[in-house]
């Protein structure tokens, strides 16, 4: 499976800037995208249409959503359904990003509900997991990852096709801090995730496991070369076409 290089724009960018960045990214990467790469742009909802106009229809470029509510439609003021996201051309969505767990209060169980519902409605889901710094200091990394995976994947069919699901390992202390997990920490966590996945899905060896947490042009190549690293999820460094295109092309 191709390595997935994903940009999470979070709550940044207005229309002109977002569309312009997507266009610049396409120009900078389209001609020389390595054969083993897939690019995923995950803008705020307000830019799905604008970025979609640049990305949709381009092979190996996809559009994703940062969030959704686990219902097809209904009286859920302020929420967006997977059906509406698919209608705009989204093929992927994040679930369980640490900012939603820790700022918006999403529980492991609610994340699991979203994973199951999003998959059922045809979105490919990237389930984000990762420990906080206190948990790492207490030696609880594997316990946290296991709990988040077990609850996040509780409703997933065992024979799910591997392209429908990805896991993003994002240690919370490395997100937006400039502090990157070391190669050993990344490999240890990804290997644990790979082995743990065997309990929930048949094709666990083929499920992509992305690393996220202060990925930059100067560390992306090294991270992408590590065992069991099948892509990266990038926040800050994805906001400029120049830096994100270097990550997309990093060898
Ligand atoms: C993220 O938001 O998922 C992320 C990894 O952010 P950053 O790259 O800025 O650490």
């Amino acid at each position: 499976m191709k390595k997935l290089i994903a940009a999470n724009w979070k709550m940044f960018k207005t229309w002109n800037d977002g569309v312009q960045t997507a266009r610049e990214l396409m120009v900078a990467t389209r001609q020389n995208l390595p054969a083993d790469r897939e690019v995923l742009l995950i803008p705020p909802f307000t830019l799905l249409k604008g970025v979609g106009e640049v990305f949709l229809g381009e092979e190996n470029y996809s559009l994703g959503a940062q969030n959704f509510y686990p219902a097809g439609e209904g009286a859920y003021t302020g929420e967006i359904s997977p059906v509406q996201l698919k209608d705009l051309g989204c093929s992927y969505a994040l679930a369980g990003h640490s900012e939603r767990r820790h700022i918006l209060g999403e529980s492991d169980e609610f994340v699991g509900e979203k994973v199951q519902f999003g998959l059922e409605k045809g979105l490919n889901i990237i389930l984000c997991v990762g420990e906080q710094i206190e948990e790492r200091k207490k030696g609880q990394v594997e316990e946290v990852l296991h709990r988040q995976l077990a609850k996040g994947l509780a409703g997933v069919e065992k024979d799910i096709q591997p392209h429908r699901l990805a896991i993003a390992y994002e240690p919370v202390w490395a997100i937006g801090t400039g502090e990157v997990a070391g190669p050993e920490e990344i490999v240890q966590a990804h290997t644990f995730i790979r082995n743990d996945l065997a309990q929930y899905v048949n094709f666990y060896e083929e499920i992509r496991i992305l690393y996220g947490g202060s990925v930059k042009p100067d560390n992306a190549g090294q991270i992408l070369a590590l065992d069991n690293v099948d892509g990266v999820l990038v926040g800050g460094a994805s906001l400029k076409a120049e830096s994100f295109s270097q990550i997309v092309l990093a060898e």
Side-chain angles (χ1 to χ4, degrees), residues 8 10 97 99 170 174-176 212-215 233-236:
N8 174 13
K10 311 192 187 198
H97 191 281
E99 286 150 17
E170 299 206 300
I175 297 184
S214 297
V215 174
L233 178 54
V234 187

Side-chain angles (χ1 to χ4, degrees), residues 173-210:
W173 47 272
I175 297 184
T177 58
E179 198 174 333
V180 192
E184 268 176 43
E185 290 167 324
I186 297 176
V187 170
Q188 250 177 25
H190 282 227
T191 306
F192 175 81
I193 291 168
R194 175 81 62 212
N195 294 333
D196 205 57
L197 277 176
Q199 296 171 58
Y200 323 110
V201 289
N202 295 335
F203 301 112
Y204 66 96
E205 284 170 315
E206 292 158 66
I207 301 278
R208 287 180 290 191
I209 305 175
L210 319 184

Side-chain angles (χ1 to χ4, degrees), residues 20-56:
Q20 180 64 20
T21 305
R23 285 198 189 118
E24 287 170 12
L25 181 65
M26 189 57 79
V27 169
T29 59
R30 187 80 203 95
Q31 296 308 319
N32 40 4
L33 186 69
D36 70 338
R37 302 277 155 99
E38 177 184 348
V39 182
L40 170 62
L41 196 37
I42 311 176
F45 293 134
T46 49
L47 269 160
L48 284 172
K49 184 150 176 53
V51 169
E53 280 166 10
V54 182
F55 263 49
L56 294 178

Side-chain angles (χ1 to χ4, degrees), residues 85-106:
L85 294 174
K86 288 213 69 185
D87 189 43
L88 281 175
C90 281
S91 44
Y92 286 88
L94 300 178
H97 191 281
S98 67
E99 286 150 17
R100 297 214 60 89
R101 291 179 190 268
H102 302 301
I103 304 175
L104 282 306
E106 292 192 4

